[in-house]
């Protein structure tokens, strides 16, 4: 039931059923099959991620990784399945570089077990493509991300019908990558070609998502948001604004007004207003709201804050608010120092410290004790 509600973006119910499943495991007088336990831990961790209960997600996910490795070994498909969800957790807690490593390991395992033309392999290619895209967003080095996205599409196209939802997901990732390549291109003809291809992919993905989930779904909202960013790049500003507002409305309805996904969309709308539509008063309020949500969820070293800080600096330069420019330049400088400190203190993703308790029932007790 949790998986069903999760797919429908009904995250309160997904989390509620996860808690019921964990209670069942805790109260069972006999040892349950380890595969079942791992799968419950994985699903509950994903539900916690979308509820933004990150500490709870971490406890369950790391225990699932430990159980999978101990019981199946480091080359087994079940271990790779668990790593896919571990990568999802890392990506959502702003440990993007680590998520790339974990997704790459999962892909390597699946390729060694299933070969090349396999759906599990395609999904791993897609996850790795997206995490690589996010990781290289500031560098502009998207060749690896594009290669994995295209491999995912090639496999999925050969195995699944045209209206299958997995086609939407893989095409969305490729569309995001093509847009960034187009932005960095010095060839106007190539830029237009890439943007048109990106638009076709996004529109196809949106249609498939709406067909599967309907309008009121986080995945549909993400597609609207992606189209908003693309239309901004294509200088279709009114269309971009419409898409961003749709994305924000759906996300707020499903996730609440202070969610990470909402912060992403209002940050993108702020960028549109600031750089292209001259709505600086509206942009300022959106930037400040996005910053507050990001800091509340991830702390002052959250990677996404950079774009909001730079947007505010640009905005205050346009408005000739010199004091504000200096204020946010100083804040951005402190943010850079904090990011450097975080990078130095981070452990490798496979060298995490486990809790002193290793029994699943005790882990569940820890889960319920966390706020």
């Amino acid at each position: 039931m949790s998986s069903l509600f999760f797919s429908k973006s009904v995250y309160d119910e997904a989390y509620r059923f996860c808690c019921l499943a964990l209670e069942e495991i805790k109260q069972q007088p006999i040892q349950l099959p380890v595969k079942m336990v791992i799968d419950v831990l994985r699903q509950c961790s994903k539900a916690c991620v979308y509820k933004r209960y990150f500490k709870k997600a971490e406890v369950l996910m790391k225990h699932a990784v430990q159980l999978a490795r101990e019981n199946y070994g480091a080359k087994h498909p079940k271990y790779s399945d668990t790593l896919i969800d571990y990568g999802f957790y890392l990506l959502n807690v702003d440990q993007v570089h680590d998520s790339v490593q974990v997704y790459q390991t999962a892909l390597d395992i699946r390729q060694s077990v299933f070969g090349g033309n396999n759906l599990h392999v395609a999904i791993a290619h897609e996850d790795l493509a997206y995490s690589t895209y996010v990781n290289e967003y500031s560098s502009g080095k998207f060749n690896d991300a594009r290669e994995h996205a295209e491999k995912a599409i090639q496999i999925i196209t050969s195995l699944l019908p045209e209206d299958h939802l997995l086609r939407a997901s893989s095409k969305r990732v490729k569309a995001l990558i093509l847009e960034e390549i187009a932005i960095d291109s010095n060839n106007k003809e190539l830029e237009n070609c890439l943007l048109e291809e990106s638009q076709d992919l996004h529109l196809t993905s949106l249609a498939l998502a709406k067909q599967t989930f309907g309008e009121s779904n986080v995945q549909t909202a993400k597609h609207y948001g992606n189209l908003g960013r693309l239309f901004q790049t294509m200088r279709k500003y009114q269309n971009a604004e419409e898409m961003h507002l749709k994305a924000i409305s759906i996300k707020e309805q499903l996730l609440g007004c202070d969610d990470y996904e909402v912060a992403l969309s209002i940050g993108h709308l702020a960028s549109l207003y600031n750089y292209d539509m001259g709505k600086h008063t509206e942009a300022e309020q959106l930037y400040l709201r996005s910053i507050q949500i990001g800091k509340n969820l991830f702390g002052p070293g959250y990677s996404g804050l950079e774009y909001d800080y730079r947007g505010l600096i640009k905005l205050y330069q346009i408005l000739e608010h010199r004091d504000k420019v200096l204020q946010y330049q100083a804040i951005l400088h402190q943010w850079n120092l904090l990011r450097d400190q975080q990078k130095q203190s981070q452990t490798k993703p496979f060298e995490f410290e486990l809790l002193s308790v290793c029994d699943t029932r005790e882990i569940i007790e820890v889960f319920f004790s966390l706020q």
Side-chain angles (χ1 to χ4, degrees):
M1 289 298 293
S2 176
S3 297
L4 175 63
F5 282 116
F6 187 85
S7 69
K8 291 183 174 182
S9 298
V10 186
Y11 299 117
D12 287 341
E13 286 298 289
Y15 176 73
R16 185 173 73 85
F17 276 101
C18 275
C19 290
L20 292 174
L22 291 172
E23 285 284 4
E24 285 290 326
I25 292 175
K26 189 176 71 170
Q27 295 172 10
Q28 284 296 320
I30 60 173
Q31 190 75 22
L32 294 172
V34 69
K35 178 182 180 298
M36 178 188 299
V37 173
I38 291 171
D39 287 345
V40 169
L41 293 173
R42 289 168 53 208
Q43 176 57 36
C44 290
S45 178
K46 288 193 294 183
C48 287
V49 165
Y50 262 99
K51 289 293 293 178
R52 311 311 177 196
Y53 301 153
F54 295 126
K55 287 294 184 183
K56 290 187 172 189
E58 179 183 14
V59 167
L60 297 180
M61 194 66 255
K62 289 183 175 179
H63 188 58
V65 171
Q66 180 189 27
L67 286 179
R69 187 179 180 94
E70 289 179 352
N71 287 273
Y72 293 100
K75 300 296 182 182
H76 195 278
K78 180 53 64 179
Y79 182 56
S80 76
D81 294 346
T82 311
L83 290 184
I84 290 290
D85 292 332
Y86 182 33
F88 171 79
Y89 160 77
L90 291 170
L91 187 62
N92 279 275
V93 295
D94 202 32
Q95 297 181 33
V96 181
H97 180 72
D98 289 347
S99 75
V100 172
Q101 296 181 50
V102 170
Y103 280 134
Q104 181 66 66
T105 303
L107 173 60
D108 292 343
I109 295 169
R110 289 184 173 188
Q111 285 181 317
S112 68
V113 173
F114 300 118
N117 197 40
N118 178 276
L119 196 57
H120 296 292
V121 174
I123 292 170
H125 273 302
E126 181 189 323
D127 288 335
L128 181 55
Y130 183 71
S131 63
T132 303
Y133 156 78
V134 175
N135 191 49
E136 299 294 348
Y137 191 80
S138 58
S139 74
K141 299 176 181 178
F142 298 112
N143 287 340
D144 287 346
R146 182 177 185 176
E147 180 180 346
H148 286 296
E150 289 177 343
K151 284 182 178 178
I153 291 173
Q154 179 183 357
I155 296 169
I156 289 171
T157 301
S158 70
L159 297 175
L160 298 176
E162 288 188 6
D163 60 350
H164 198 283
L165 184 63
L166 282 178
R167 287 198 176 203
S169 181
S170 57
K171 287 180 177 180
R172 166 184 168 267
V173 173
K174 183 180 178 181
L176 291 170
I177 296 166
L178 292 182
E179 180 186 348
E180 295 305 319
I181 294 173
I183 291 172
D184 294 336
S185 173
N186 294 320
N187 184 319
K188 196 65 178 177
E189 183 178 349
L190 175 61
E191 176 187 348
N192 291 335
C193 181
L194 291 171
L195 291 176
E196 287 295 333
E197 183 179 356
S198 180
Q199 178 177 269
D200 290 343
L201 290 168
H202 275 315
L203 289 173
T204 301
S205 299
L206 173 62
L208 287 171
K210 291 176 70 174
Q211 175 183 311
T212 305
F213 297 121
E215 182 81 2
S216 183
N217 185 274
V218 172
Q219 297 306 315
T220 302
K222 286 182 178 181
H223 290 303
Y224 280 132
N226 294 151
L227 274 169
R229 293 177 60 193
L230 176 65
F231 287 148
Q232 181 180 1
T233 301
M234 299 176 78
R235 300 175 181 82
K236 300 177 179 180
Y237 302 133
Q238 297 298 328
N239 291 337
E241 181 181 29
E242 179 186 356
M243 293 297 103
H244 285 313
L245 291 173
K246 280 188 176 183
I248 292 168
S249 176
I250 295 169
K251 289 179 179 181
E252 287 183 335
Q253 174 191 347
L254 295 173
L255 302 171
C257 294
D258 298 320
D259 188 78
Y260 160 71
E261 282 290 339
V262 175
L264 282 180
S265 287
I266 62 178
H268 293 148
L269 182 59
S271 173
L272 174 68
Y273 285 165
N274 185 30
Y275 290 96
D276 297 305
M277 298 186 73
K279 296 184 177 182
H280 300 300
T281 301
E282 294 93 331
E284 179 185 23
Q285 295 307 310
L286 291 169
Y287 278 133
L288 293 173
R289 183 181 167 197
S290 177
I291 288 168
Q292 192 59 55
I293 294 172
K295 289 171 70 175
N296 287 345
L297 287 173
F298 303 110
Y302 168 48
S303 63
L305 294 174
E306 177 183 9
Y307 307 105
D308 291 335
Y309 289 150
R310 293 190 184 279
L312 278 175
I313 291 169
K314 176 69 173 178
L315 183 151
Y316 291 132
Q317 286 173 337
I318 293 171
L319 297 178
E320 298 183 347
H321 292 175
R322 180 169 173 76
D323 290 346
K324 290 287 189 180
V325 171
L326 294 175
Q327 176 188 348
Y328 278 94
Q329 285 176 338
I331 291 173
L332 181 59
H333 176 68
Q334 289 299 317
W335 175 87
N336 276 304
L337 293 177
L338 186 55
R339 290 293 295 177
D340 289 341
Q341 292 173 6
Q342 288 179 338
K343 289 176 183 178
Q344 292 172 5
S345 63
Q346 279 183 351
T347 59
K348 296 180 180 179
F350 294 105
E351 296 178 358
F352 55 78
E353 292 185 8
L354 295 168
L355 295 175
S356 57
V357 292
C358 293
D359 179 77
T360 298
R361 290 185 178 87
E362 292 181 68
I363 291 290
I364 294 172
E365 289 284 359
V366 172
F367 168 87
F368 283 114
S369 72
L370 292 170
Q371 298 300 316

